Amino acid sequence: MSSKLVKKLLQQTAVPLTSTDYESESQNKSRKRKIKLSSQTSTDDVKILKEEILQDHIQSILRLDNLVQRNSSATAQKSFNRHSSNLKQQQKKKQSLKRNSGGVSNSRSSSSSFAQKPQEKTFDKVKDKRRKEEGYYEDLARALKKAKKGKKKQRSV
């Protein structure tokens, strides 16, 4: 941890600084010299540190996976497998679309390949308006039926 980070941490925790302030100022000059020398070794350290972090992450994922398999029910396991397979299929479709799309060109072969693709549905304002109106009228019909039933019950009492 660098001295600046230590100072910030101590200031945040409201602990008074000790005599390390004076020592850190004198060490800053020597550190500048060391930084030039240690910059070559720091890249190796960073690579090792990243590998360790990656290995720790992989181990934690494996532990979590083992715990889930041991402690989950069969239905939960089936559901998880189903969702994961769906996600894999979606990712495959996206990757294949990226691979197959190539580039946009104006050649005869590209236009024929677009013609062979199935037509995709687009948003239609008229259909959406109709769908919303149908939903409104269905809700209105339900409300009227409930009101009618309520009146019948009040009359019979």
Side-chain angles (χ1 to χ4, degrees):
M1 208 183 260
S2 69
S3 61
K4 290 180 183 178
L5 290 174
V6 172
K7 287 179 186 177
K8 285 182 183 179
L9 181 63
L10 290 175
Q11 287 174 354
Q12 289 175 354
T13 57
V15 176
L17 296 174
T18 58
S19 65
T20 58
D21 289 339
Y22 176 73
E23 293 172 4
S24 65
E25 289 175 8
S26 63
Q27 290 177 354
N28 280 341
K29 293 179 183 177
S30 64
R31 284 188 186 168
K32 288 180 183 176
R33 293 179 195 150
K34 290 181 182 178
I35 289 173
K36 292 179 183 176
L37 297 174
S38 66
S39 65
Q40 296 169 351
T41 58
S42 66
T43 57
D44 295 335
D45 294 340
V46 170
K47 288 179 184 176
I48 294 171
L49 182 63
K50 285 182 181 179
E51 288 177 10
E52 289 176 359
I53 291 171
L54 184 63
Q55 289 296 327
D56 290 341
H57 186 66
I58 290 170
Q59 291 299 324
S60 65
I61 289 173
L62 290 174
R63 282 193 298 267
L64 179 65
D65 187 41
N66 289 335
L67 286 173
V68 167
Q69 285 181 354
R70 273 191 249 134
N71 298 327
S72 65
S73 66
T75 56
Q77 190 68 29
K78 287 178 185 176
S79 174
F80 176 75
N81 290 338
R82 191 171 49 251
H83 286 292
S84 64
S85 65
N86 288 341
L87 285 174
K88 287 179 184 177
Q89 288 175 353
Q90 288 175 356
Q91 288 175 350
K92 284 182 182 179
K93 285 181 183 178
K94 285 181 183 178
Q95 287 176 355
S96 66
L97 285 175
K98 286 180 183 178
R99 268 189 262 121
N100 294 338
S101 67
V104 177
S105 65
N106 197 13
S107 67
R108 291 181 183 173
S109 62
S110 66
S111 62
S112 65
S113 66
F114 284 121
Q116 291 172 1
K117 289 184 180 179
Q119 188 175 8
E120 296 178 2
K121 291 184 179 179
T122 57
F123 181 75
D124 188 8
K125 289 182 182 179
V126 176
K127 287 181 182 179
D128 188 50
K129 188 176 179 181
R130 251 189 261 137
R131 187 176 44 85
K132 285 181 181 178
E133 286 178 355
E134 286 174 4
Y136 169 74
Y137 289 123
E138 286 174 0
D139 292 341
L140 186 63
R142 281 190 216 117
L144 289 173
K145 281 184 182 180
K146 283 185 180 181
K148 196 174 185 181
K149 287 181 181 179
K151 286 183 183 178
K152 286 183 181 179
K153 287 182 181 179
Q154 287 177 354
R155 286 183 187 167
S156 64
V157 173

